[in-house]
Amino acid sequence: MTTPSSAGAATFQPAGSNLPTAADQAGLSSPSNGDIPPKAQGGHNAPGKVRAGDRIFHGLATGSAMMITVIIAAIGAFLLWRAVPALRNNTENFFTYSGDWNTATTSAMHFGIPNLFFVTVTVSLVALVLAMPVALGIAIFLAQYCPQRFVKPIAFVVDLLAAVPSIVFGLWGAQVLGPKLGGFYEWIHSWAGQFILFKTFANSPAFATSRNLLTGGIVLAIMILPVIAATAREVFVQTPQGHIESALALGATRWEVVRLTVLPFGFSGYISGAMLGLGRALGETMALYLVISPSSEFRGSLFDGGTTFATAIANAAQEFNNNIQAGAYISAGLVLFLLTFVVNAIARAIVAKR
């Protein structure tokens, strides 16, 4: 015997029958093919109307990204185009010749980059080694320890260092900092003078002026300090509050909270800020032009003078009336241009690995 179907149960329907089912009666049946929207029929979204504002914004954003790429490529192409004729007339090996530059005879010039490269890297690394710990301390203090009402004033003062012109730093380093450090340098030389980093030579800058690589590194450290500190602080303050509160609830001290939550979370930002600072240090010109006594040699001592890529180009500005002579220094600028790319690539690799 057949019993009537209850609510929600399937109803027997003979084949070919057009009788309404229970689902049809309840209004739950699927719409006919003619009622199915285009998205359901074709499986694709119907093309939507794009507003004019969206098109304009998309075009501006895409154009900006393309423009900066084109500008960088154009700079690299210009440097290469101007450097090639001078490199062809160079009678020395550009990557190994460490003697004095002689570009007077454009058909047979003598120039190379080893000394410029080592001086530039040495001064920049000294600045980075001195600036990174101080910047880290500033960032941690402002993010975790400083009373809230003092955070903005102190952060403003630190950021203000970035607005000081480099020539002001150079004047201060040459006229004030260098002479003040002379006695300290003499004390270091008295017990570490045999070590290569603290040797002096017959033509090394006198300690009375201290226009050496170490003074240049200290001035650069002060200049890149706000860049590293500001970048690191902005990342440290983004540490999830739940992580900090969980660590405190488990009995962690404030230093343990910083070490276990803040530093791991913000390490990539700290490294990124350091690489930004290093990029500025590599290309700094006027400050080092005034602070470091020029020298065509690199002998490995921080108490010696030297010439960086940027200061070599600035010193030879009077030779730029001749395209071939200018090309010799533009080739040095090309190496500096590539060096900044290498630094950024290393920074990205460190951050990605972290």
Side-chain angles (χ1 to χ4, degrees), residues 36-347:
I36 298 175
K39 177 179 178 180
Q41 289 183 19
H44 300 286
N45 289 321
K49 183 179 180 181
V50 180
R51 297 180 180 179
D54 291 335
R55 290 195 187 97
I56 295 173
F57 181 78
H58 180 269
L60 291 175
T62 305
S64 299
M66 294 178 63
M67 181 181 66
I68 192 64
T69 304
V70 170
I71 290 174
I72 293 175
I75 293 173
F78 165 77
L79 294 174
L80 185 62
W81 170 59
R82 292 294 303 273
V84 167
L87 291 173
R88 287 176 177 171
N89 292 347
N90 185 15
T91 60
E92 308 290 345
N93 189 316
F94 180 66
F95 296 102
T96 60
Y97 176 70
S98 57
D100 294 337
W101 282 40
N102 186 349
T103 60
T105 305
T106 56
S107 60
M109 297 189 293
H110 307 269
F111 61 91
I113 61 165
N115 290 332
L116 302 180
F117 176 83
F118 288 121
V119 171
T120 301
V121 172
T122 299
V123 174
S124 300
L125 289 180
V126 169
L128 199 63
V129 168
L130 294 176
M132 284 184 69
V134 179
L136 179 62
I138 293 173
I140 292 175
F141 173 74
L142 292 176
Q144 295 296 321
Y145 291 95
C146 184
Q148 193 61 36
R149 64 180 181 275
F150 296 132
V151 170
K152 288 186 177 180
I154 296 177
F156 175 77
V157 172
V158 174
D159 294 342
L160 194 61
L161 285 175
V164 178
S166 60
I167 194 169
V168 174
F169 279 111
L171 290 171
W172 171 75
Q175 299 296 320
V176 179
L177 182 63
K180 293 293 184 181
L181 290 175
F184 177 65
Y185 290 165
E186 288 180 358
W187 174 74
I188 294 178
H189 182 263
S190 66
W191 56 268
Q194 299 303 314
F195 187 50
I196 183 62
L197 287 177
F198 304 113
K199 278 187 176 181
T200 56
F201 304 91
N203 58 347
S204 293
F207 288 136
T209 59
S210 298
R211 295 183 62 198
N212 51 45
L213 300 184
L214 184 54
T215 304
I218 294 173
V219 171
L220 272 187
I222 299 172
M223 295 177 67
I224 68 176
L225 181 64
V227 177
I228 305 174
T231 306
R233 172 181 169 266
E234 289 300 321
V235 179
F236 288 163
V237 297
Q238 300 300 323
T239 305
Q241 192 63 28
H243 294 183
I244 297 175
E245 292 174 354
S246 298
L248 291 172
L250 292 173
T253 63
R254 177 61 67 176
W255 160 240
E256 289 172 334
V257 169
V258 170
R259 182 170 58 88
L260 297 176
T261 62
V262 177
L263 288 180
F265 179 83
F267 180 79
S268 61
Y270 175 55
I271 295 298
S272 298
M275 293 303 104
L276 287 174
L278 180 59
R280 179 180 181 183
L282 289 171
E284 180 53 44
T285 305
M286 289 310 301
L288 298 185
Y289 181 84
L290 296 173
V291 172
I292 301 178
S293 178
S295 173
S296 60
E297 297 180 283
F298 175 75
R299 293 172 287 198
S301 174
L302 297 179
F303 289 160
D304 203 7
T307 303
T308 66
F309 284 115
T311 56
I313 296 171
N315 277 325
Q318 68 274 9
E319 300 183 31
F320 289 176
N321 292 327
N322 185 290
N323 288 336
I324 301 298
Q325 288 179 320
Y329 294 93
I330 289 176
S331 64
L334 177 62
V335 175
L336 179 60
F337 182 75
L338 296 175
L339 183 60
T340 58
F341 275 93
V342 172
V343 168
N344 281 293
I346 294 174

